[in-house]
Amino acid sequence: EGLPHSMAAPVELDLVITGKVGAPVLFFIHGWPDNAKLWVKQTEAFAKTHRCVAVSMPLYDEDAKAFPTYSQFGYNFDATTASLAAAIKQVSPDAPVTVVQHDFGSYWGFNLQAQHPELVKDIINFDIGAFHMEGTRSISAAIKFGIAYQWIFILVWFLHFIPVIGTTIATKILHGFVKLGAANAKKKGQFFPDVAAIHPRVMYPYFYMHLNFWLNLLTFGLYKMPVPALSTWSADPLAVPHCPILFLYGAKKGLMFHSPKWADSLNKRGDGSKSVAIQCGHWLQLDEPDQVNDHMKGFLNTQGHY
């Protein structure tokens, strides 16, 4: 059985649906600062064998049909989980799907699987794993991650709510900071999103992640995180997620977003789960699409998709 379902009301998500009608569904969830277009190399590769559904999360695609109806404060993880669950029930009412997730999509996807295991057959996870192992489930770790970049993202998110000048100031700070990462990626020949297209409004998951973390930590677990699988007080973080998983991560980047112990444990599960390092950066589905697609096909084959 899954964890208790959220009572948050779902919002409509913009879906790009391609591929073979009636085939197993690959449900793609992007992360920061992307949208459904992130997965073009994968949706093209699997269109003949799968129904491909790529979602744009709230506020991440200004052209999304539901964009005007979204809360400008974004959504905590309970609401995004409810929204993803509703979308999966819409596109695959009779069978669970394979969730393909990247970056913050991993947070959203792990929580989706924890609360709605009946909707998720297996997971293909990109570059963000269980990072709260080996002493990282602590205040010092949260501070280190925050100082590294996340608190800057939270700051610009707050700033952009200031009337008249807020968005301009927030955007200048944000773009100035993100350009450092873009320059480093360019030097290594790695993909990086268009800096000019990144808006402060998409920083809301960072705010809610830290809000949830600190409330959960400081109340000794009395405050229940909307992402219970990644809770500071999770009983068995090595078991995340509770389904077969292929974990692909870029080995050529300055900061790893997973625990080596967790990644190694996947290879010992005996259910087809696997951890694979690819010699590229954070956006491995665009840096090395052929290699990524081959690993995906191999995993899907072990899970009975072909």
Side-chain angles (χ1 to χ4, degrees), residues 22-187:
V25 172
L26 300 180
F27 191 87
F28 295 87
I29 311 174
H30 66 85
W32 176 93
D34 305 296
N35 53 47
K37 299 171 186 175
L38 170 71
W39 302 105
V40 62
K41 297 292 186 181
Q42 285 66 53
T43 56
E44 289 177 353
F46 290 93
K48 293 183 179 180
T49 58
H50 287 78
R51 191 66 163 165
C52 298
V53 181
V55 60
S56 286
M57 296 302 287
L59 304 181
Y60 276 78
D61 186 355
E62 193 166 0
D63 297 326
K65 60 186 178 183
F67 178 78
T69 69
Y70 289 145
S71 166
Q72 296 306 298
F73 294 100
Y75 297 91
N76 207 334
F77 293 92
D78 52 350
T80 52
T81 296
S83 303
L84 289 167
I88 289 176
K89 292 174 184 177
Q90 172 190 336
V91 299
S92 185
D94 301 319
V97 305
T98 294
V99 174
V100 187
Q101 56 195 38
H102 176 248
D103 194 82
F104 247 107
S106 299
Y107 274 78
W108 290 319
F110 282 148
N111 197 45
L112 172 69
Q113 193 280 328
Q115 293 201 26
H116 298 275
E118 75 283 0
L119 300 180
V120 181
K121 174 181 172 63
D122 40 41
I123 289 175
I124 299 175
N125 191 46
F126 286 75
D127 216 55
I128 301 290
F131 61 87
H132 54 298
M133 298 292 296
E134 297 150 354
T136 61
R137 297 160 71 193
S138 66
I139 294 177
S140 62
I143 292 174
K144 289 176 183 177
F145 266 95
I147 291 175
Y149 67 96
Q150 293 175 359
W151 289 356
I152 294 176
F153 287 175
I154 294 170
L155 171 64
V156 299
W157 183 73
F158 275 111
L159 286 176
H160 100 280
F161 290 110
I162 299 175
V164 184
I165 62 172
T167 297
T168 300
I169 295 173
T171 301
K172 286 185 178 296
I173 295 173
L174 174 62
H175 288 182
F177 178 70
V178 172
K179 282 179 180 178
L180 299 175
N184 184 54
K186 183 177 181 181
K187 187 186 304 181

Side-chain angles (χ1 to χ4, degrees), residues 287-302:
D287 280 344
E288 296 289 348
D290 292 338
Q291 191 176 161
V292 162
N293 293 343
D294 285 344
H295 283 296
M296 289 178 62
K297 289 175 184 176
F299 174 73
L300 292 172
N301 186 51
T302 66

Side-chain angles (χ1 to χ4, degrees), residues 192-242:
F192 199 91
D194 179 12
V195 174
I198 302 175
H199 195 282
R201 66 171 173 262
V202 303
M203 304 303 162
Y204 67 86
Y206 292 96
F207 166 72
Y208 289 115
M209 180 181 71
H210 280 266
L211 175 67
N212 296 330
F213 175 88
W214 287 102
L215 288 176
N216 180 254
L217 186 70
L218 297 176
T219 62
F220 301 97
L222 293 178
Y223 171 78
K224 303 301 181 183
M225 291 180 70
V227 192
L230 299 178
S231 169
T232 308
W233 302 96
S234 176
D236 186 13
L238 279 183
V240 176
H242 296 277

